[in-house]
Amino acid sequence: MRDIPPTAMLRAFEVATRHPTFTSSASELFITQSAVSHQLKNLEELWGLQLFQRGKTLTLTPAGAALAPIVREFFTKLETSLADLREQKSRVRLRLSTTYSFALKWLLPRLPELTRLHPEILVTIESTDRAINFTNSDSDVAIRFGHGNYPALHTEFMFREQLFPVASPALLQRFGTPHEPAELLRYPLLTRDGADLVPKWDSWFEQAGIQTDALHESVRFADTNMTIEAALLGQGIALARSGHVEKELKEGSLVRLFNIPFPSPAAYYFVCPGGIETQPHIIKFCSWLMAESHQAQLSYT
């Protein structure tokens, strides 16, 4: 670290790389022209490198040109980090754990409203499909998809989604629009592989009053987002959860097929360790979350 000069020298060098003369550099630094020249001379002696060709105007040497962007990046990152830290100093951090698909499809579009209402809360999101264990996690609160059986945790019901088939307009143009639920059996059906909480086509067909022996499954996907993306690409019909296709239905990139009520057997719950739900920033966050959940539930039923 012996070659690291005082900050004043580095600042003089960074400013001088952007000005044609010592005089104009001195104006930006609010020091004299001789002080700038002295700082740069000392820097060149410390590093054993000539940084400028001196004449009527300053010209960077190859060594100066190589070092200029490094020094400029140092000051840029320093200023940015300081600004971020000063902003965070007046805010309270809330660490939230939830699934990736829920964070991306439902929570993320709503976060600007939280920031508008409560700019003092800084939310950081950890996405994981693993069950939350607050003893081994840095998260303060979590949103989980399940049946609400979270022993020893403070738990609040948020909302329950509806399940329904969705398809892209391109696929419907290619295969035709089905008019009866049974017609879906001749379409490629997209399925998410996984746990018991994942919606199943045979359950939906049973709800629609249709007996099925074998389904024409196209591909099984590892997560919800891949399944929806495949439907957007016209690869088949997906059995979607209402909270995961709000944007696509609104834009018309996906079309809901049939209005058969089929509530998801699992729902979303807000959970946190017992006792911290009374902290002011968590009360604010939870109240906002419940208001958004209520509006979502109304639109899904």
Side-chain angles (χ1 to χ4, degrees), residues 133-148:
N133 182 353
F134 287 102
T135 58
N136 299 323
S137 171
D138 292 330
S139 299
D140 302 308
V141 300
I143 298 170
R144 279 294 172 262
F145 184 63
H147 300 295

Side-chain angles (χ1 to χ4, degrees), residues 48 66 90 94 107 133 140 147 157-158 176 184 191 210 228 238 253:
S90 61
L94 190 150
L107 184 62
N133 182 353
D140 302 308
H147 300 295
F157 172 83
M158 290 173 52
L184 292 185
T191 304
I210 299 168
I228 299 303
S253 55

Side-chain angles (χ1 to χ4, degrees), residues 132-134 142 148-156 270-275 277:
I132 186 67
N133 182 353
F134 287 102
N149 52 333
Y150 305 105
L153 295 179
H154 173 80
T155 303
E156 295 191 36
F270 170 85
V271 298
C272 66
E277 74 275 7

Side-chain angles (χ1 to χ4, degrees), residues 145 163 191-192 195-201 203 239-241 262 265:
F145 184 63
L163 304 176
T191 304
R192 180 190 163 179
D196 294 338
L197 298 179
V198 175
K200 302 293 193 300
W201 272 110
S203 299
L239 186 59
R241 300 206 300 263
F262 186 30

Side-chain angles (χ1 to χ4, degrees), residues 205-282:
F205 279 114
E206 183 180 348
Q207 183 75 5
I210 299 168
Q211 297 297 319
T212 58
D213 296 324
L215 298 176
H216 180 203
E217 292 185 355
S218 174
V219 182
R220 288 196 171 195
F221 296 93
D223 62 45
T224 301
N225 294 325
M226 290 178 65
T227 310
I228 299 303
E229 186 63 26
L232 286 166
L233 293 172
Q235 295 179 7
I237 296 178
L239 186 59
R241 300 206 300 263
S242 49
H244 287 70
V245 290
E246 292 177 334
K247 177 175 178 289
E248 290 78 5
L249 293 177
K250 183 177 181 180
E251 293 176 346
S253 55
L254 287 177
V255 177
R256 175 176 178 172
L257 304 176
F258 308 113
N259 192 23
I260 297 172
F262 186 30
S264 169
Y268 289 96
Y269 294 85
F270 170 85
V271 298
C272 66
I276 75 166
E277 74 275 7
T278 60
Q279 295 181 11
H281 68 295
I282 292 181

